[in-house]
Each structure stands twice: as C-alpha cells, then as structure tokens.
Amino acid sequence: QVQVVESGGGLVQAGGSLRLSCAASGSIFRVDAMGWYRQAPGKQRELVATITGGSTNYADSVKGRFTISRDNAKNMVYLQMSSLKPEDTAVYYCNADIRIASGRTLLQRWGQGTQVTVSS
C-alpha cells in the first residue's frame, strides 16, 4: 500500500515558525513531484508549494516566507514555514506523484492533512 503521511502541524503565534514533514512509503519505484496544499475553513484547497527535481514553485502568498525541500533517499518532503500569519491557518496536505511497478504506473497520493493554527 503506497501512502503519504504528514506530521509537524500545531499551534504557533503570528511571526513564528513551523516545519511540516511528509513521508511517502510502500513499494515505491520513484517519487516524482511532491507538494503541499492547504485548505482553510470555507475555502477551496489551494497550492502552497511544489518541488519537482530541483525546481520549486510557490504560491505568491507564501513566497519569501515558506521553503519547500525534499530528501529523495527517504522519499520525504518538507515545508519550512516562517513569519507565519493568522491567514496561514489551514489544514495542510501533502501530495505526491509516485511511480510503482518499475516506473510503469503513476499514482497520486494525498496525506490525511495536518492542522496549522496561527494565533494573532
């Protein structure tokens, strides 16, 4: 069973920092793109940041404050969040494009989400 699991959410004051982690596990041939999305109450899920190979992409709202990185050997992706604002409060989801079966099959997996709450 191929899955991704997030960790690292919590409650932090405005201006603080948090680091989210996400691990992909199972019979994995290779993990291609990985990313973080978030969904605030009453809003649609939105992209936060993605990383594919050495290329990164960020939502304008987090540029300069969040940094995405990955450890390919461990099939993990991280999101370092700094200068957090109350509007960053949301459930953060990890997403990964995972190849199995010697690379012939591509699966997309979502984590269960981790809550990030930023108090003012």
Side-chain angles (χ1 to χ4, degrees):
Q1 188 79 338
V2 175
Q3 62 179 355
V4 295
V5 178
E6 307 98 335
S7 61
L11 173 64
V12 64
Q13 288 188 332
S17 299
L18 276 176
R19 188 193 195 211
L20 305 182
S21 300
C22 171
S25 63
S27 299
I28 296 171
F29 175 76
R30 187 182 71 237
V31 180
D32 290 344
M34 302 187 83
W36 291 94
Y37 293 73
R38 67 186 181 186
Q39 187 167 18
K43 295 187 177 181
Q44 289 189 332
R45 190 173 298 188
E46 63 177 5
L47 180 147
V48 176
T50 61
I51 182 166
T52 305
S55 298
T56 58
N57 179 52
Y58 295 92
D60 288 343
S61 59
V62 307
K63 283 180 180 177
R65 300 188 298 121
F66 291 10
T67 301
I68 189 170
S69 61
R70 63 189 291 174
D71 184 333
N72 292 327
K74 297 180 179 179
N75 292 326
M76 293 192 70
V77 63
Y78 308 96
L79 186 68
Q80 179 66 47
M81 304 183 292
S82 302
S83 302
L84 282 161
K85 305 175 181 181
E87 51 263 43
D88 294 317
T89 295
V91 177
Y92 283 70
Y93 296 91
C94 177
N95 176 270
D97 291 336
I98 300 172
R99 290 197 177 272
I100 63 171
S102 301
R104 295 188 301 272
T105 300
L106 180 64
L107 305 175
Q108 185 177 82
R109 288 290 182 265
W110 289 92
Q112 80 287 352
T114 185
Q115 177 70 46
V116 172
T117 302
V118 184
S119 63
S120 57

